[in-house]
Amino acid sequence: MSTEYATRLSLFQFGDMLVEYLLATDSQTVGLRMFPASMVDKVVKRREFLRTHESLLLPDTFPPMRAWQVEPLVQVKLTSDAVSGGFSQGITLRNSATLSSLHYVRQEVVEGKDKTEVVTTLRSERGYACEHHVSYRHGDEAITIQTLFRNESQEILSLELLASFSLSGLTPFAEDDAPNRLYLHRFLSSWSAEGRHLCQSLEELNLERSWSGHGVRTERFGQVGSMPVRGYFPFIGVEDRAEGVFWGAQLAWAGSWQMEAYRRDDQLSLSGGLADREFGHWTKNVAPAESFSSPLAYVSTVKGDLDDLCQRLTSMQVGAVDQAPLSEQSLPVLANEWCTTWGNPEHVRMVEIAKRLKGSGAKYFVIDAGWYRDDGGNWEFSQGEWKPNRNLFPQGIAATAAAIREQGLIPGIWFEFEVVGNQSPLFSSMTSLLQRDGFPVTAGQRRFWDFRDPWVREHLREKVISQLRDSGFGYIKVDYNETIGIGVDGAESLGEGLREHILAVQDFFREMRQELPDLVIEVCASGGHRLEPSMLALASMGSFSDAHESLEIPIIAANLHRLILPRQSQIWAVLHESDSHQRLTYSLAAGFLGRLCLSGEIDKLDDEQWSLVQEAIRFYDKVAHIIKNGKSRLYQQIGTAWRYPQGIQTVMRLSENGKQALVVVHAFSKPPSNGIDILLTDGNWKISNTFPATNSSAVITGNQLRIKTPNEFEGFVLWLVCD
């Protein structure tokens, strides 16, 4: 692209994506846009000036109205600088005066063995510079973007915004402001209701450009605190429905974050990163000669649909989870006793359950919360000292772990080591607890350790790492059941104090891995409130939700395919001796949407019920390779009420080589009378196996899979193969 106003600085092809840098001729502002390489011939030349009814009626003394301008690929703001105007104060810190003197200096391309990195340097004569890093690992389906701010002055500079990425030019396939064709995609998250998809047109969000380009439009959203998936997942997507193209980004950050859809002219821009001062109470002082880097953002574009975009973003997490312990590589089934004892585990019952699991194919058995509480105490508020209860475990908890290992299982144990409950004497350890305005941060009956404090780290090395090692546990479930909120003391801002603390927490996770290389780590935060890339990179899997045995489990589990890797999504199958055959299969089938985790009255199931569970485990082992490496597509004909689900849902996961498929079907109340049809890829497909084995609710004709109308609240699984 070339105009008098802006020229193409460079163009790179990364896989099937084109990444284009634009340079504004006069201001030397650099912008960034992306589009699928297959769509290059569809890119149009934008109109330069507005020729609308309103603009033509203005006096000749008015300058022509530009239809668009280059949006900076770096979004940074110093506290001393003006906001952009256009009524932006309080709704956005983008395009501040900090950028007006930030000019293009150079662009370097660094070629590695399996990675290409483009580093674009911008500098201001006021004494600061920014480096914009785009990394592409050969074979990936997304790029990684990170922004670095460097202080080149002789005084401290204070930041109140530094975005990880800023993508503009949406959509490049329209010469104007693209009315009625752009849609914003987000995913909502609440306790036991994670991953609800939200799609709104730009017009619904009031993100239409103004008639003159004056007055910015913005939709800024995110979360504030230490539960990164509370309210929203750190994801943003945009769809050009006329061309069937998607753009999207996912942040890798476990603290306060924000995403922003921004518009002041024809183009829509997307940005995201740390929550800024207005949104997240964050400022950061950068000393002379020092630099500060944003969290990583994964960004992609695709000609396709939402499933295609999400698959590309979640695939960026594969490299980290491949580093999990060897025991994890086959995705073994596990069991957890939480929905068995509900916070009252004791040695005898743990051994009984372990004996029932022996030889079943399950690999881990996890002792959940309550093992540390005092007699008469509550599991929820006794965290801090982590001393096993002698009445629950008379021979010590190491003896229970050994008894579990005797049954051929790897024992696991629950911790919530970041908090202190009010039933612990450590609740008043003032100097080692996070504070805000000089007072301990208190949420209900919980307070929070300050992981920046060396005493805290040493205390937890003894209570967590040493206890895991000495007692013979090979699995830890790390729960986290409250959020710190806007931030903490100890840094130049509350938000920066929170950021430092979160980094220190993640460093402790790394220390656990370093000290115990074979340790399997599960992250849980009241279920799914930590399901974001930077935390999942430190763990083998995450708890998908606290919807332990609710009817909406299949819906939540299916939607999470778009946000995390199924191989890391631990899904509960809570089983009761009162369950019918249909209810058992409904629960067990949901576990095939991720990592199957058994709970409930495992030791009380009769022989027929237990035989069905063993059948599920054997079937799961046969298809685990598809769950581990595959591509998912969701087919949902469901209502809006998850607590009272209606309709039918099918998730098809195609294997890496495209020759096998796992199909998980759940019917809710009032399933459609005509069933559901799914188009398969070309080939000679057949149903190889089903769970339960007696299910006959599907048939393949040609390349079409026909799911017959199932019973209400029925679940089953199909294994398809193609010759």
Side-chain angles (χ1 to χ4, degrees):
M1 178 207 154
S2 177
T3 70
E4 293 181 358
Y5 169 71
T7 59
R8 174 186 286 169
L9 175 64
S10 55
L11 179 70
F12 299 92
Q13 180 157 357
F14 296 137
D16 60 359
M17 302 170 290
L18 290 176
V19 176
E20 182 181 38
Y21 294 81
L22 299 178
L23 180 65
T25 307
D26 293 333
S27 67
Q28 292 292 284
T29 296
V30 181
L32 180 74
R33 67 178 187 174
M34 294 175 64
F35 43 88
S38 63
M39 297 292 291
V40 66
D41 292 338
K42 293 277 190 160
V43 176
V44 300
K45 182 178 179 180
R46 288 195 175 277
R47 61 183 180 182
E48 289 290 321
F49 299 99
L50 294 180
R51 301 285 295 171
T52 61
H53 169 75
E54 301 96 332
S55 65
L56 293 174
L57 292 176
L58 291 173
D60 293 340
T61 55
F62 275 57
M65 294 181 181
R66 284 209 57 83
W68 67 278
Q69 50 196 315
V70 173
E71 281 285 327
L73 83 173
V74 166
Q75 287 295 334
V76 59
K77 185 181 183 302
L78 298 174
T79 57
S80 59
D81 288 347
V83 296
S84 64
F87 321 113
S88 64
Q89 188 120 264
I91 62 171
T92 183
L93 293 178
R94 283 178 57 98
N95 294 327
S96 70
T98 306
L99 299 175
S100 61
S101 63
L102 198 61
H103 304 311
Y104 172 70
V105 175
R106 63 180 175 273
Q107 189 171 79
E108 301 169 280
V109 180
V110 182
E111 294 285 359
K113 181 180 179 181
D114 60 353
K115 186 176 79 169
T116 300
E117 184 171 19
V118 180
V119 183
T120 306
T121 301
L122 310 168
R123 178 168 285 114
S124 170
E125 66 274 9
R126 296 171 57 198
Y128 52 88
C130 289
E131 289 181 5
H132 180 271
H133 293 252
V134 168
S135 298
Y136 174 71
R137 187 177 56 193
H138 303 166
D140 278 351
E141 294 183 309
I143 59 175
T144 301
I145 302 180
Q146 186 176 38
T147 301
L148 177 146
F149 175 88
R150 184 168 55 249
N151 185 351
E152 298 179 344
S153 74
Q154 299 303 310
E155 59 184 20
I156 293 174
L157 297 178
S158 180
L159 297 174
E160 58 181 1
L161 167 70
L162 181 66
S164 295
F165 76 98
S166 182
L167 185 68
S168 60
L170 305 179
T171 169
F173 310 118
E175 64 179 11
D176 55 11
D177 50 345
N180 301 310
R181 62 189 280 180
L182 294 180
Y183 292 80
L184 188 71
H185 292 264
R186 294 178 279 185
F187 290 93
L188 300 168
S189 179
S190 299
W191 184 75
S192 294
E194 297 85 352
R196 184 186 291 268
H197 177 220
L198 177 63
C199 175
Q200 296 166 290
S201 70
L202 294 198
E203 289 78 13
E204 288 178 291
L205 290 164
N206 203 26
L207 289 175
E208 288 185 276
R209 64 161 298 151
S210 68
W211 65 270
S212 69
H214 182 61
V216 301
R217 310 289 200 254
T218 182
E219 177 75 4
R220 182 172 58 182
F221 66 96
Q223 83 83 33
V224 175
S226 51
M227 283 182 163
V229 182
R230 184 184 61 138
Y232 291 95
F233 278 77
F235 167 99
I236 191 169
V238 167
E239 171 191 4
D240 180 344
R241 193 159 290 181
E243 293 293 345
V245 175
F246 280 76
W247 297 263
Q250 190 172 33
L251 288 173
W253 177 235
S256 299
W257 61 267
Q258 68 185 44
M259 293 286 197
E260 191 168 349
Y262 174 94
R263 189 174 205 171
R264 59 178 172 176
D265 52 33
D266 279 359
Q267 303 181 112
L268 179 73
S269 298
L270 305 179
S271 60
L274 294 171
D276 61 29
R277 184 180 189 177
E278 291 181 337
F279 194 84
H281 308 265
W282 179 80
T283 62
K284 170 67 177 177
N285 293 338
V286 183
E290 290 187 349
S291 60
F292 177 78
S293 294
S294 71
L296 299 177
Y298 305 122
V299 183
S300 190
T301 183
V302 66
K303 167 73 171 173
D305 60 19
L306 183 63
D307 285 332
D308 294 319
L309 172 67
C310 292
Q311 168 69 34
R312 296 169 78 91
L313 293 174
T314 58
S315 69
M316 298 297 284
Q317 303 172 36
V318 169
V321 73
D322 277 345
Q323 304 305 310
L326 183 61
S327 64
E328 273 294 277
Q329 299 311 315
S330 61
L331 309 194
V333 173
L334 65 150
N336 180 303
E337 58 76 31
W338 171 246
C339 293
T340 308
T341 73
W342 294 97
N344 191 39
E346 47 86 26
H347 174 82
V348 173
R349 188 78 187 274
M350 299 301 97
V351 176
E352 289 176 354
I353 297 173
K355 288 180 178 178
R356 166 51 72 92
L357 291 169
K358 181 179 181 179
S360 67
K363 192 161 195 171
Y364 312 123
F365 177 45
V366 182
I367 301 170
D368 212 280
W371 58 269
Y372 48 86
R373 64 174 177 80
D374 291 336
D375 293 335
N378 188 307
W379 72 268
E380 199 171 4
F381 310 123
S382 301
Q383 308 90 326
E385 295 183 289
W386 301 111
K387 296 177 181 178
N389 183 297
R390 296 297 296 186
N391 287 323
L392 295 175
F393 302 93
Q395 301 170 341
I397 203 161
T400 306
I404 292 171
R405 284 195 181 271
E406 287 176 4
Q407 306 307 316
L409 300 163
I410 295 175
I413 193 166
W414 182 99
F415 277 90
E416 191 182 4
F417 56 65
E418 294 163 66
V419 305
V420 183
N422 68 349
Q423 294 176 10
S424 168
L426 296 174
F427 191 71
S428 299
S429 302
M430 300 291 289
T431 59
S432 298
L433 296 173
L434 291 174
Q435 298 187 18
R436 184 161 57 239
D437 301 328
F439 301 98
V441 177
T442 307
Q445 284 76 45
R446 284 178 172 84
R447 290 177 175 170
F448 304 85
W449 286 128
D450 186 343
F451 273 65
R452 299 168 296 180
D453 185 335
W455 182 89
V456 171
R457 296 287 290 271
E458 189 56 41
H459 172 73
L460 293 176
R461 288 186 188 104
E462 175 190 351
K463 296 297 183 178
V464 180
I465 297 176
S466 294
Q467 186 159 203
L468 290 170
R469 180 190 294 113
D470 297 344
S471 298
F473 287 99
Y475 184 115
I476 181 173
K477 175 180 177 178
V478 184
D479 211 339
Y480 187 69
N481 291 301
E482 261 301 348
T483 177
I484 293 167
I486 62 175
V488 297
D489 297 341
E492 55 267 52
S493 65
L494 294 177
E496 176 59 12
L498 175 64
R499 189 191 71 87
E500 292 176 348
H501 168 75
I502 294 294
L503 290 176
V505 169
Q506 292 187 322
D507 190 54
F508 187 76
F509 274 77
R510 295 185 186 93
E511 187 174 346
M512 285 196 299
R513 272 193 158 181
Q514 182 177 351
E515 294 295 320
L516 304 169
D518 295 327
L519 180 68
V520 176
I521 300 175
E522 172 194 342
V523 293
C524 180
S526 284
H529 286 317
R530 271 184 166 168
L531 298 180
E532 59 79 32
S534 74
M535 286 303 300
L536 288 174
L538 302 172
S540 297
M541 66 187 95
S543 178
F544 90 116
S545 179
D546 267 355
H548 299 109
E549 47 191 318
S550 304
L551 291 173
E552 63 264 34
I553 279 180
I555 298 174
I556 298 171
N559 287 350
L560 289 183
H561 277 233
R562 290 171 165 166
L563 296 159
I564 67 174
L565 296 172
R567 65 190 283 189
Q568 288 191 287
S569 184
Q570 184 186 123
I571 299 166
W572 294 79
V574 181
L575 314 174
H576 297 283
E577 59 180 334
S578 60
D579 283 346
S580 66
H581 182 279
Q582 180 170 320
R583 173 65 204 205
L584 288 173
T585 57
Y586 182 93
S587 300
L588 289 165
F592 285 75
L593 293 169
R595 297 295 299 274
L596 176 58
C597 176
L598 307 176
S599 193
E601 299 164 339
I602 297 172
D603 55 331
K604 296 185 180 298
L605 300 179
D606 63 29
D607 290 344
E608 183 178 351
Q609 290 172 317
W610 185 241
S611 177
L612 181 66
V613 175
Q614 290 181 298
E615 178 190 340
I617 295 173
R618 289 192 298 270
F619 190 81
Y620 187 94
D621 288 342
K622 293 177 181 178
V623 299
H625 63 284
I626 307 175
I627 299 171
K628 182 178 181 180
N629 296 306
K631 294 186 176 183
S632 300
R633 190 158 297 280
L634 279 62
Y635 303 88
Q636 292 176 321
Q637 298 177 21
I638 60 176
T640 57
W642 287 8
R643 294 291 294 129
Y644 305 93
Q646 295 183 357
I648 190 170
Q649 170 185 282
T650 299
V651 178
M652 183 174 73
R653 187 159 176 85
L654 194 64
S655 67
E656 197 170 27
N657 65 5
K659 297 298 184 181
Q660 299 183 55
L662 184 67
V663 182
V664 182
V665 181
H666 280 87
F668 310 113
S669 70
K670 302 178 182 178
S673 58
N674 57 349
I676 188 170
D677 294 323
I678 297 174
L679 188 65
L680 304 173
T681 57
D682 291 339
N684 183 25
W685 287 93
K686 63 181 180 180
I687 300 174
S688 174
N689 209 338
T690 68
F691 170 78
T694 56
N695 187 276
S696 58
S697 298
V699 63
I700 296 176
T701 304
N703 64 341
Q704 182 168 281
L705 173 66
R706 172 73 173 170
I707 307 294
K708 305 173 186 176
T709 302
N711 298 316
E712 290 191 327
F713 298 106
E714 180 181 3
F716 56 90
V717 186
L718 310 173
W719 182 13
L720 312 183
V721 297
C722 181
D723 296 338

